[in-house]
């Protein structure tokens, strides 16, 4: 399923009304390989091994995976079992459970004859909403960061991770004459492999940066703003995002530059009071070192007090207080 115009944001989750294809992100930037997913088990496996990744996109893929599961085996048993498998695929990004719960609720409200079609329609609705949210986030972020040109980002919060052109990366792309510093993002190199691949395709100037180099460049005045995505925002405004994000927030505070978090309201979880209540995914240590015993927490928590602004499709919270977060997330 190649893209006709390589300058357009890539669409890594493609649904043609019957079949689900996803771009295998483990193979990028070396190969553009598409996988066909057929139900809950293979979709959950693709999410676990990061073939599909990024908070909004694991929600979208899981919604389609569940819809395909009940298309193949119509019935509430398949709906419940498939939902459980998909929810368990990764713990930190709330978008996964949020999207699965939404498909389950729609399925439970449907008649047996319309169960599968209702689930498919709900998945499509979720994807359309995330695409629209990404566009709105880019607009709000552009207003907020007017005048910023040298933007540092971590991980990948572009089209590969989110709806539309992405969230944090779409904010950067909306700034005139932007130059992006893409932090490598150890250990799985979502920045060096994926953000770099997206920026190269789009023809946007960028440099890849070792994660440990970021603080020094901020201190030397070479960064105007840091913009990152998020996997879960707690009710108090604490943010879970890819491991390494917290260090960038500390460095940005020390350098006196804005640290902005961008994400759709589907990433806000009012049921989780604070960052310490968020489950941090621990991945296989061999992703860090094949030779030595290694710890591999995949995310960290940035306290709300270090976040200059939280940019969502509904607007911006700044400062990031519990009231401001609740107002953004209100139904
Ligand atoms: O482990 P990943 O690659 O799924 O982690 C992704 C991130 O941490 C992103 O920054 C986050 O999902 C935001 S994307 C809008």
């Amino acid at each position: 399923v190649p893209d006709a115009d390589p300058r357009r944001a890539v669409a890594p989750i493609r649904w043609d009304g019957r079949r689900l294809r996803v771009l295998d992100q483990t193979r990028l930037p070396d190969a553009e390989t598409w996988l066909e997913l057929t139900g809950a088990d293979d979709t959950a496996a693709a999410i676990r091994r990061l073939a599909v990744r990024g908070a909004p996109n694991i929600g979208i893929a899981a919604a389609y995976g569940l819809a395909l599961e009940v298309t193949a085996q119509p019935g509430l048993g398949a709906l419940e079992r498939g939902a459980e498998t998909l929810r368990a695929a990764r713990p930190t990004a709330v978008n996964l459970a949020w999207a699965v719960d939404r498909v389950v609720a729609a399925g439970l409200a449907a008649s047996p004859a319309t169960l599968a079609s209702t689930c498919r329609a709900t998945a499509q609705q979720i994807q359309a909403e995330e695409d629209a949210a990404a566009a709105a986030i880019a607009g709000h972020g552009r207003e907020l960061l007017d005048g910023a040109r040298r933007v540092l980002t971590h991980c990948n919060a572009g089209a590969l991770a989110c709806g539309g052109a992405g969230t944090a990366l779409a904010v950067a792309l909306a700034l005139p004459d932007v130059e992006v510093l893409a932090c490598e993002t150890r250990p799985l190199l979502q920045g060096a492999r994926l953000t770099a691949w997206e920026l190269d395709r789009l023809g946007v100037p960028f440099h890849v940066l070792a994660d440990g180099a970021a603080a020094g460049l901020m201190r030397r005045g070479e960064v105007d703003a840091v913009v990152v995505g998020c996997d879960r925002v707690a009710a108090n405004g604490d943010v879970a995002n890819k491991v390494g994000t917290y260090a960038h927030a500390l460095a940005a505070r020390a350098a006196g530059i804005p640290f902005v978090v961008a994400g759709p309201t589907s990433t806000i979880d009012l049921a989780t009071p604070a960052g310490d209540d968020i489950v941090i995914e621990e991945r296989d240590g061999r992703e860090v070192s094949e030779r030595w015993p290694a710890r591999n927490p995949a995310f960290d928590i940035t306290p709300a007090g270090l976040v200059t602004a939280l940019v969502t499709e509904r607007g911006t919270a700044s400062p990031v207080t519990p009231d401001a977060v609740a107002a953004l997330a209100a139904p």
Side-chain angles (χ1 to χ4, degrees):
V1 200
D3 236 340
D5 180 358
R7 287 158 307 174
R8 240 173 19 133
V10 70
I13 300 180
R14 298 188 183 178
W15 169 251
D16 67 5
R18 218 163 46 88
R19 297 203 301 179
L20 176 64
R21 289 190 179 86
V22 300
L23 181 56
D24 183 350
Q25 299 191 32
T26 65
R27 306 282 310 277
L28 289 174
D30 298 323
E32 291 179 36
T33 308
W34 290 83
L35 306 171
E36 180 164 353
L37 301 177
T38 59
D41 288 342
D42 58 354
T43 303
I47 290 171
R48 268 194 303 273
R49 69 180 188 87
L50 309 191
V52 186
R53 48 151 295 284
N57 273 354
I58 61 178
I60 294 168
Y64 281 122
L66 187 52
L68 285 167
E69 186 73 20
V70 293
T71 301
Q73 297 180 60
L76 295 182
L79 183 69
E80 301 285 5
R81 276 193 310 278
E84 209 171 303
T85 302
L86 286 158
R87 273 192 215 102
R90 296 189 78 189
T92 304
V94 72
N95 304 63
L96 178 60
W98 171 86
V100 167
D101 289 348
R102 209 167 133 182
V103 174
V104 169
L108 291 176
S111 67
T114 58
L115 171 65
S117 61
T118 301
C119 292
R120 293 193 299 268
T122 307
Q124 271 184 286
Q125 175 74 25
I126 290 171
Q127 185 170 29
E129 286 173 14
E130 295 294 19
D131 283 347
I137 287 168
H140 294 312
R142 182 193 165 112
E143 279 170 36
L144 180 77
L145 289 174
D146 188 31
R149 205 174 53 74
R150 300 163 305 171
V151 173
L152 183 141
T153 190
H154 192 68
C155 197
N156 170 266
L160 288 170
C162 321
T167 53
L169 198 60
V171 168
L173 296 176
L175 300 171
D177 303 319
V178 73
E179 284 175 29
V180 177
L181 285 164
C183 286
E184 281 183 313
T185 317
R186 293 279 167 175
L188 294 175
L189 301 177
Q190 288 92 332
R193 292 189 301 110
L194 306 178
T195 300
W197 180 78
E198 285 197 41
L199 292 169
D200 181 59
R201 258 178 120 252
L202 295 167
V204 173
F206 71 95
H207 288 96
V208 172
L209 190 66
D211 299 342
L217 288 195
M218 287 188 230
R219 198 185 74 84
R220 275 160 49 182
E222 295 192 30
V223 180
D224 298 323
V226 179
V227 187
V228 297
C230 45
D231 287 83
R232 192 181 293 237
V233 179
N236 72 344
D238 292 351
V239 172
N241 192 48
K242 179 53 55 190
V243 68
T245 299
Y246 176 42
H248 296 322
L250 289 167
R253 174 57 56 92
I257 60 172
F259 178 86
V260 172
V261 174
T265 50
S266 54
T267 306
I268 299 177
D269 178 16
L270 294 181
T272 295
D276 285 344
D277 303 308
I278 297 173
V279 176
I280 302 291
E281 178 183 13
E282 285 275 349
R283 294 182 63 86
D284 191 329
R286 283 170 299 187
E287 290 179 344
V288 175
S289 172
E290 293 275 356
R291 178 162 185 166
W292 307 113
R295 284 289 306 277
N296 189 10
F299 299 92
D300 61 24
I301 303 294
T302 299
L306 290 177
V307 180
T308 313
L310 172 66
V311 182
T312 73
E313 75 279 16
R314 295 188 187 158
T316 296
S318 181
V320 182
T321 60
D323 285 349
V325 172
L328 285 173

